[in-house]
Amino acid sequence: MDIAIRKKELVKEFSPMLLKPSKWSKIWMAILVVFILYGLVALVVQLTKGQVVTGMRDNVVWGIYTINFIFFLCLSYSGAFASGVLHFFNTPWKNAVSRIVEIITVVSLIVGPIFIILCMARLDRLHYLFLYPRIQSPITWDVIAITTDLIGCLLYLYLTFIPDFAILRDNSEGLPKWRKKLYTSLAIGYQDTPAQRRRLHKITKIMSAMVIALAIVTYSVLAWIFSLTLQPGWNSTIFAPYFIVAGLYSGVGVVIIAMYLIRKYFKLEHYIRKAHFLSAGVILLITALLYGYFTFSEYFARWFSHKTHDANLLETLFNDYFWMFILANYIGILVPIAIVFFKKLRTIKTITFAAVIAVVGLWFNRYLIVVPTQETPYLPIQDTRSEFVHYSATWVEWALSFAGVAAFVLFFMLLMRLVPIIPMSGIIDYEKKGKVRRDGLTQQQQP
């Protein structure tokens, strides 16, 4: 295989994806920008009028902003974990999904923390978190962990992009000057020499191990923010592994959905094949079983203990949140398991449908963890008006939530216009290894 020619072929193949946005891409981006602008209007309303425009009151001080924060960190954690495992063990089918996973990781880490900032009533005091941190506080641990994780993931993502930046720099024709300069700068002199390849592979492998560790630490710290309190529903010794498994479950679901949309929209059936969906479906099944086990253990222990406050919480869940509880903890777990468990049901569309159910169910599970507990506190409050006791998200919170989702999708689409969603360097490596194996077999067959 002539590698120079193959690089040119791949650049030519992926150039339309990078340089020529289709009509539908432009329409999608315009819709996403409208959602973001609508969110900015809501942000201005919240900043000028205060937290009173949200549904958060004396009892429920964490609403859907916190749920979104946990949800996006779930995605980043699972993406970092999956990406690290794929690179560390050099998984054969990593090429088709690794970049999707890496982009999800970084974009989630950028969008997610914004939601926790929106929870703060006094944003003018935000810098106090850094100027006067209290190391005893899990909030301080969270700031340190997320910041470290973000830096680590950005560095890791950049390292995986370098070979493709170099290919685009050397083989693209008709590029705008600014793009050419950008690729030249980002490639930092990479020439794909054997020494550079060995060095980059070694650094990437070390970073992949670090990213796995950082992801576990970050998400454990996030779980401890809840479990280290005495609130009913939160004070649990299994919250850290429960959060980690839940993060993997939702992350795998989002990756499957992204694979389906990218495969269909960009017609990448020859790169993202059915085998990738089947493998991802099996991982979804395993994480669903683990997640279901942790969920059952959590609620069964609370029900069996007969503690007054746990009983009150369960009564709230089964009365006020009955259908949400069914959707989150029955449909959101059992339906994906039923679809993926039976081999005959495993098609690309059914696996994607199972992933959608899993992601939606897990978002509602996060809602059930955050909100009902705050509606059944240890200490009664003086003002017992319904709107002070019960939480209901306002249009401001929904607008900012949809803006966050729109920003996530928009960032993802913009990054796809910077580098190919399927790593070109990975395709070449895969084809070279395949050729070596074929040559080896041919020689063994010779007399």
Side-chain angles (χ1 to χ4, degrees), residues 196-216:
Q196 285 182 331
R197 287 171 67 83
R198 278 197 302 275
R199 203 174 300 135
L200 184 62
H201 177 72
K202 188 176 180 181
I203 295 171
T204 307
K205 193 166 186 177
I206 292 171
M207 281 299 300
S208 65
M210 290 177 63
V211 162
I212 294 172
L214 279 172
I216 293 174

Side-chain angles (χ1 to χ4, degrees), residues 8 20 46 79 150 199 227 245 307 316 333 409 441 445:
K8 288 187 182 296
K20 297 177 182 175
Q46 181 173 318
L150 178 61
R199 203 174 300 135
S227 64
V245 169
K307 291 178 184 174
T316 302
I333 298 173
V409 179
L441 285 173
Q445 289 165 358

Side-chain angles (χ1 to χ4, degrees), residues 285-301:
L285 173 63
I286 294 170
T287 52
L289 291 170
L290 286 170
Y291 172 62
Y293 170 72
F294 274 106
T295 303
F296 173 77
S297 301
E298 185 64 24
Y299 286 113
F300 177 74

Side-chain angles (χ1 to χ4, degrees), residues 73-118:
L73 278 199
C74 269
L75 298 187
S76 70
Y77 153 72
S78 59
F81 188 84
S83 177
V85 169
L86 288 172
H87 275 279
F88 191 80
F89 294 103
N90 200 19
T91 310
W93 51 275
K94 73 179 175 67
N95 206 41
V97 299
S98 60
R99 186 149 292 162
I100 297 173
V101 173
E102 289 154 6
I103 294 177
I104 287 175
T105 302
V106 172
V107 176
S108 302
L109 264 178
I110 294 171
V111 174
I114 294 173
F115 283 106
I116 204 66
I117 293 173
L118 296 174

Side-chain angles (χ1 to χ4, degrees), residues 116-148:
I116 204 66
I117 293 173
L118 296 174
C119 280
M120 299 178 181
R122 295 294 302 269
L123 285 177
D124 56 313
R125 297 181 178 178
L126 179 63
H127 59 288
Y128 287 2
L129 271 174
F130 302 92
L131 293 178
Y132 311 108
R134 292 186 71 243
I135 201 63
Q136 304 96 322
S137 168
I139 299 289
T140 302
W141 307 347
D142 217 12
V143 171
I144 295 171
I146 290 173
T147 307
T148 309

Side-chain angles (χ1 to χ4, degrees), residues 389-408:
V389 176
H390 301 290
Y391 171 76
S392 179
T394 64
W395 75 269
V396 171
E397 290 167 282
W398 286 118
L400 283 165
S401 297
F402 285 122
V405 175
F408 174 84

